[in-house]
Amino acid sequence: MDNNKLLQGNQACAMGAIKAGVKFCAGYPITPSSEIMEILAEELPKVEGKFIQMEDEIASVGAIIGASVMGVKSLTPTSGPGFDLKQENIAFAAMAEIPVVIVDVQRSGPSTGGATICAQGDLMQAKYGRSGDCPIIALYPNSVKEIYKTTIRAFNLAEKYMTPVILLLDETIGHMRENINVDDYQDMEIINRNFPEESATDYLPYRPDESGVVRLVPFGNDKGYRYVISGMHHTENGMPSIAKNSIQNSIERINGKIDKNKEEIWEWEEIDTEDAETLVIACGCVSRSAVEAVKVARSKGYKAGLFRPITIWPFLDEPLKEALKNIKTVIVPEMNQGQLVHKINELINKDVKVVQLNIFDGSLIMPEQIIEVIEEACHK
Amino acid sequence: MSIRDYVKEDVFPLFTCPGCTHGTVINTFLRAADELKLDRDKTVIVCAIGCAGRTPTYLDFNVLRVTHGRALAFATGVKLARPDVKVIVFMGDGDALAIGGNHFIHAARRNIGITAVVLRNEIYGMTGGQYAPTTPVGAKATTAPYGMIEPSFDTCKLAASAGATYVARGDIFNLNNLYNVMKSALQHKGFALVEALTSCPIQFGRRNKVSDPAKMVQRIKNMVVTKAVAEKLSTEEQAEKFIIGEFVNTREIELTERYAKLLDINKKENEVVITMS
């Protein structure tokens, strides 16, 4: 049977989640993300899973963390002001090392902004939206197909590194329909969290393995593993502690496990970068226009290339540095006032020219607009 | 089992102030749990922030200690993920009724199988004596230096009107009653609420001329009346007292039981089985 389907981005996200083994979703209605939970409300019971619409976004993250503590893969979708509210418990998941996935279908903000207006304003919030040195993994697919497989990957990374993962989507990609054959992803690896080898008597829940990752036995187990999970600084046995070394150790561990394993977390795409002198760096829906812009620029004789981060956090420092080696001009089109560009500026040496193209009126950045910037930048 | 076997004495000292009576509620809970032979490995305790939130971390159970006010939200996920597990939530009055007020009424409305214990000490203790939505009118707090001007919540009425199917009140003086309602709450199938009146001599007492812990206990003794005694009081007299005992004890379908029914769609060829009631 031909399983080629025309799917909406949000639909692909819900289906990818089911494929990843999600059995619990809690959400609160908010445009443009609501389709994800509507679909999961219908689909989860068919796979013995559950959906609950909570009283607000804070409770939604709380509920999915609660379910994950019981060993159940869980997800919550949201957008804009809802993403603001979710930060509190995303920080808890990072601190207590509970794997969950938060989908943020970005809309124009701040505040209510525009519910169906496309914008890329949450890149920095995904990383810096919480107090303290809070680690995060954030992934940013740019097509319906990529949403499907990146949703699965988000769960794999969450389970493997015992951490919350944010999936950033653009409103336009979330609501766009494209062809996808989900059978193409039939063999994708599904990762489930590791359990400890030691018995309950020797068990220290927050003693990490060699890769820096903790192994938390789901609560309600019948093997006698009993311990405390807390958002407060804690020692290896999970008990609250504000002793200097437990503070230092926990902050180092939750951030260090991401940093140590960043090469495995990183994913990006490069087009025509081998001999490029002008590099367009773009993600999400803007990168689709950038692909076309680079193609046209090449046909006009410009040595243009594209670097597209798929992993946004941890930031792709080394791969981008490598791609920037022979670059004279960098062009950063973004549907915000300039967020990605801050990280790029950190990596760039002085003689490279950085040109920003920031459009945040809700209209998509078109290939012609990027081509215009390439031409202008290369002639000056 | 001895009550001490449920307590992780190796991680003492406790953080609580001298004269604090939160421990009395925990003690009563442990006695009820022991009597009911509660399986610790099939029990999850959820708690959050504040004195009442931290106290359960000393118990040898699986304890999930979360963000301020959100214990019931996390507990909802715990219960839905594993309906076979007993879920018990300890909260302070600020935790449950101020920052967590929304989660409180919705957990009650859903009639989800959670035993919720609210420790009402009428003040924010851990943060230094600020007023709570339970601080009595006229009482002093660091943020009510001229006396509290806001009315208080009646936790039991709030829970009952939101849909809780078990509602009771106890206090740290009349321990037989507290023990009995705790036991009934733990055996109840739906959302069960026990409000326990406790005393905070340090943050509440010192500012309100009752810093002596024994006098704080005496104060609670004078504050409460049984239902039988309350019936003989006028409405005005009743308003000045906290009635202790059971207020609601009904059997309605619990949320995860409803969900189990919904999951039957898999067995009946996708026939929709949920009917409006």
Side-chain angles (χ1 to χ4, degrees), chain A residues 55-321:
Chain A
E55 52 274 18
D56 59 30
E57 282 90 349
I58 300 169
S60 306
V61 192
I64 65 163
I65 296 171
S68 185
V69 161
M70 306 310 281
V72 174
K73 284 187 186 176
S74 307
L75 158 144
T76 186
T78 193
S79 178
F83 193 48
D84 293 346
L85 286 176
K86 286 189 198 277
Q87 298 299 328
E88 173 190 285
N89 285 336
I90 296 174
F92 178 87
M95 184 66 156
E97 303 181 68
I98 311 299
V100 285
V101 171
I102 303 95
V103 186
D104 173 25
V105 190
Q106 295 171 91
R107 64 189 242 185
S108 178
S111 191
T112 308
T116 54
I117 305 300
C118 189
Q120 300 183 312
D122 305 350
L123 270 68
M124 286 295 173
Q125 188 186 14
K127 169 69 179 159
Y128 299 109
R130 302 160 294 281
S131 65
D133 289 315
C134 186
I136 203 73
I137 295 174
L139 310 175
Y140 203 164
N142 81 342
S143 70
V144 170
K145 280 181 186 170
E146 204 170 81
I147 287 175
Y148 184 82
K149 70 173 186 195
T150 308
T151 304
I152 298 170
R153 190 156 185 267
F155 279 97
N156 284 349
L157 294 174
E159 293 279 318
K160 186 164 184 181
Y161 299 115
M162 299 297 283
T163 187
V165 175
I166 292 169
L167 188 65
L168 281 176
L169 306 184
D170 289 328
E171 182 277 334
T172 298
I173 311 289
H175 279 162
M176 183 179 66
R177 284 166 207 276
E178 281 184 308
N179 265 340
I180 176 173
N181 189 340
V182 293
D183 291 345
D184 294 348
Y185 307 93
Q186 208 53 46
D187 299 329
M188 250 187 98
E189 188 193 9
I190 305 293
I191 298 174
N192 297 310
R193 67 192 83 166
N194 278 322
F195 297 130
E197 283 148 15
E198 64 267 38
S199 69
T201 31
D202 299 325
Y203 180 59
L204 287 170
Y206 287 93
R207 181 171 57 194
D209 64 17
E210 9 3 292
S211 61
V213 180
V214 298
R215 295 179 176 190
L216 301 181
V217 186
F219 279 4
N221 65 80
D222 52 11
K223 299 191 177 65
Y225 294 92
R226 288 192 297 271
Y227 60 101
V228 179
I229 292 175
S230 168
M232 191 170 163
H233 288 299
H234 41 265
T235 55
E236 287 191 336
N237 65 6
M239 283 302 287
S241 166
I242 47 167
K244 272 185 185 176
N245 61 340
S246 43
I247 297 173
Q248 183 89 5
N249 287 346
S250 64
I251 296 176
E252 267 175 12
R253 188 181 64 254
I254 59 177
N255 286 281
K257 69 184 176 187
I258 309 281
D259 192 52
K260 237 191 267 183
N261 297 293
K262 62 187 176 186
E263 285 178 20
E264 203 178 317
I265 300 166
W266 280 338
E267 196 184 3
W268 73 97
E269 186 190 12
E270 290 184 36
I271 295 173
D272 288 339
T273 48
E274 303 79 29
D275 63 337
E277 291 175 358
T278 300
L279 188 67
V280 181
I281 305 173
C283 48
C285 62
V286 177
S287 67
R288 296 170 68 113
S289 293
V291 172
E292 179 66 14
V294 165
K295 203 166 113 192
V296 174
R298 280 269 165 185
S299 72
K300 291 186 172 184
Y302 297 102
K303 287 190 170 176
L306 171 72
F307 185 94
R308 174 170 77 92
I310 301 171
T311 302
I312 294 288
W313 305 107
F315 198 69
L316 294 146
D317 300 296
E318 278 88 1
L320 185 54
K321 259 188 229 164

Side-chain angles (χ1 to χ4, degrees), chain A residues 327-340:
Chain A
I327 299 297
K328 291 174 183 151
T329 309
V330 169
I331 290 158
V332 194
E334 296 184 76
M335 290 178 65
N336 55 41
Q337 287 217 322
Q339 296 197 9
L340 192 60

Side-chain angles (χ1 to χ4, degrees), chain B residues 191-229:
Chain B
F191 184 81
L193 178 271
V194 172
E195 180 177 58
L197 304 189
T198 67
S199 56
C200 177
I202 299 294
Q203 300 294 11
F204 184 90
R206 276 189 308 156
R207 289 186 183 87
N208 290 287
K209 297 181 183 144
V210 267
S211 56
D212 178 350
K215 283 189 181 150
M216 279 296 284
V217 175
Q218 190 69 40
R219 177 178 166 270
I220 287 185
K221 184 190 169 198
N222 296 336
M223 270 159 59
V224 302
V225 288
T226 60
K227 277 164 88 177
V229 172

Side-chain angles (χ1 to χ4, degrees), chain B residues 91-139:
Chain B
M91 296 171 283
D93 38 12
D95 200 33
L97 306 173
I99 189 166
N102 201 20
H103 312 308
F104 183 81
I105 54 173
H106 284 276
R109 171 183 65 82
R110 292 184 181 110
N111 193 33
I112 185 164
I114 293 171
T115 308
V117 182
V118 175
L119 292 93
R120 182 179 184 125
N121 63 1
E122 305 167 282
I123 200 82
Y124 280 79
M126 197 173 274
T127 45
Q130 297 80 9
Y131 72 79
T134 47
T135 302
V137 169

Side-chain angles (χ1 to χ4, degrees), chain A residues 45-46 48 50-51 53 55 58 62-63 66 88-89 92 219-221 225-232 239, chain B residues 8 41-42 57 60-63 65-67 70 73-74 77-78 80 82-83 102-103 106 110 259 262 266:
Chain A
K46 296 179 188 167
E48 300 286 313
K50 287 176 188 146
F51 165 77
Q53 186 171 310
E55 52 274 18
I58 300 169
E88 173 190 285
N89 285 336
F92 178 87
F219 279 4
N221 65 80
Y225 294 92
R226 288 192 297 271
Y227 60 101
V228 179
I229 292 175
S230 168
M232 191 170 163
M239 283 302 287
Chain B
K8 295 188 284 196
D41 292 325
K42 290 280 174 286
T57 58
D60 186 12
F61 279 82
N62 279 320
V63 180
R65 184 181 174 227
V66 302
T67 42
R70 318 299 176 207
F74 282 70
V78 169
L80 282 168
R82 283 285 301 276
N102 201 20
H103 312 308
H106 284 276
R110 292 184 181 110
Y259 229 117
L262 184 153
N266 295 311

